[in-house]
Amino acid sequence: MSRTIPEQLAELKDFFEKEAESIFPFTLPQAPVLGEAMAYSYHAGGKRIRPILALAAAKALGKDPRLVVPAALAIEMIHTYSLIHDDLPAMDDDDFRRGRATSHKVYGEALAILAGDGLLTEAFHVAAAGMDNSISPSGKLRFIRELSRAAGIRGMVAGQVMDMEHPDTGDADFLEQLHVRKTGAMIQISCLVPAFLWEIPEKPWHSLRKYGEKIGLLFQVVDDILDETATLAQLGKTPGKDRKQHKITYPALYGRDGAAELADSLLHEALQALEDIPESELLAGIARFIAKRSH
Ligand code: GRG
């Protein structure tokens, strides 16, 4: 019997976990507690949406998903660092993440900062040294350049600063630019991993880019809605923080129904972008999962 899309996505996730473990097992004899703190957050039960996107995009382009695992792991390590740092008292000051006490609550602030630093830096080592020799040096370099663009001062870090400043302008363009950088950039690059590692035709390249852009925003709109509607047990982190911190969110800007309509139209546009990619059922399944997720 053929497996359902959610079953295939679950298999892809298990495949990623096993392969990633052999690339970076988190045992650091030189500083065991650092390895422990990095592993504590990395292995806290994240959904692994970004790695699954990279593997599904590889499949959609007819590439071996095994070959994108190091890049996918690098992205998930950077994502994990961003969560650790985002939760610090100097930033969002959160006690719970992924259903557990946050890193600084368990290891103290200094080690939490260093665990984040370790994950960020090691991600680039994994991306540079962990990739198969069949991938060209220029493909590896393209990916590493784009990873630093997505994670750094042109992407997530800039978005985080825009978020910290959160001027109460209620400006929809500002909100979109903030989220394109803070959340969207790392999601979009996950979709584009195989497009950077290999030369691919222009048409699927543009389709993946558009798909990545739309699901990146969709992810954030749903995140904002869940922040207002979901519980701590569902989210694994403290809900209702956006409103408390007077942040502009999609439900605040458009109302809950308006935000839900925006999510529907982003999902529609993401699915439309996949029309030129023949083997894109898994990517379509991920977009639907993001739209319907409850955590
Ligand atoms: C510290 C430079 C720096 C950036 C932080 C990730 C981030 C930027 C802030 C987190 C704040 C937040 C809730 C953003 C919304 C989108 C988001 C990244 C949610 C968490 O990602 P998931 O749902 O988490 O994929 P899991 O735990 O499943 O991996």
Side-chain angles (χ1 to χ4, degrees):
M1 215 176 67
S2 66
R3 288 149 311 137
T4 63
I5 297 293
E7 281 167 352
Q8 291 180 52
L9 292 174
E11 268 177 32
L12 218 49
K13 181 175 185 240
D14 289 346
F15 176 77
F16 167 75
E17 301 290 18
K18 285 194 194 96
E19 292 283 317
E21 191 65 33
S22 67
I23 297 173
F24 188 67
F26 288 97
T27 36
L28 302 181
Q30 68 277 27
V33 68
L34 176 62
E36 193 193 302
M38 288 160 69
Y40 173 82
S41 295
Y42 178 85
H43 287 303
K47 296 181 285 298
R48 307 291 197 233
I49 283 181
R50 295 156 192 80
I52 296 171
L53 276 168
L55 271 66
K59 280 189 117 173
L61 297 176
K63 305 289 183 193
D64 181 355
R66 190 184 305 271
L67 297 179
V68 302
V69 170
L73 172 60
I75 291 172
E76 187 67 11
M77 289 169 84
I78 291 180
H79 168 59
T80 306
Y81 120 75
S82 77
L83 299 178
I84 296 175
H85 282 194
D86 185 62
D87 291 333
L88 286 168
M91 292 210 201
D92 238 16
D93 193 10
D94 235 310
D95 294 351
F96 294 100
R97 171 70 68 177
R98 290 176 163 175
R100 320 175 150 185
T102 42
S103 182
H104 63 272
K105 284 274 153 192
V106 179
Y107 295 98
E109 270 184 65
L111 202 54
I113 292 169
L114 290 165
D117 293 342
L119 283 160
L120 171 61
T121 317
E122 187 62 16
F124 284 94
H125 185 266
V126 164
M131 277 202 242
D132 195 82
N133 284 338
S134 66
I135 297 168
S136 70
S138 60
K140 290 177 194 171
L141 201 56
R142 253 195 316 267
F143 171 70
I144 291 168
R145 183 193 66 202
E146 293 305 317
L147 183 61
S148 71
R149 184 191 294 274
I153 58 173
R154 296 167 188 83
M156 185 174 67
V157 173
Q160 179 77 346
V161 172
M162 290 165 79
D163 196 21
M164 272 164 45
E165 290 177 343
H166 62 81
D168 273 342
T169 55
D171 181 338
D173 287 341
F174 176 83
L175 190 63
E176 185 169 317
Q177 279 311 306
L178 184 169
H179 292 310
V180 160
R181 292 185 173 89
K182 190 182 91 169
T183 313
M186 289 297 286
I187 290 184
Q188 190 179 42
I189 195 185
S190 307
C191 307
L192 288 170
V193 167
F196 292 130
L197 295 185
W198 294 279
E199 304 261 354
I200 69 160
E202 211 166 307
K203 217 168 178 186
W205 200 95
H206 283 298
S207 302
L208 278 178
R209 202 172 57 92
K210 178 119 188 265
Y211 166 82
E213 180 194 320
K214 298 299 168 187
I215 62 162
L217 268 180
L218 171 64
F219 191 94
Q220 185 62 51
V221 176
V222 172
D223 212 77
D224 281 2
I225 296 173
L226 287 175
D227 188 65
E228 293 209 344
T229 56
T231 62
L232 170 66
Q234 282 171 318
L235 288 184
K237 62 176 183 177
T238 319
K241 288 207 77 170
D242 293 340
R243 206 171 270 273
K244 239 183 246 160
Q245 294 172 337
H246 307 290
K247 283 190 181 171
I248 337 166
T249 64
Y250 285 99
L253 203 58
Y254 299 121
R256 231 175 255 178
D257 289 347
E261 274 168 33
L262 177 61
D264 281 346
S265 78
L266 288 166
L267 173 63
H268 179 72
E269 288 177 280
L271 296 176
Q272 222 170 20
L274 294 176
E275 278 170 7
D276 287 333
I277 303 179
E279 304 289 328
S280 57
E281 298 81 4
L282 288 178
L283 291 173
I286 299 170
R288 292 197 179 92
F289 170 79
I290 291 174
K292 300 276 167 281
R293 73 194 173 99
S294 56
H295 66 290

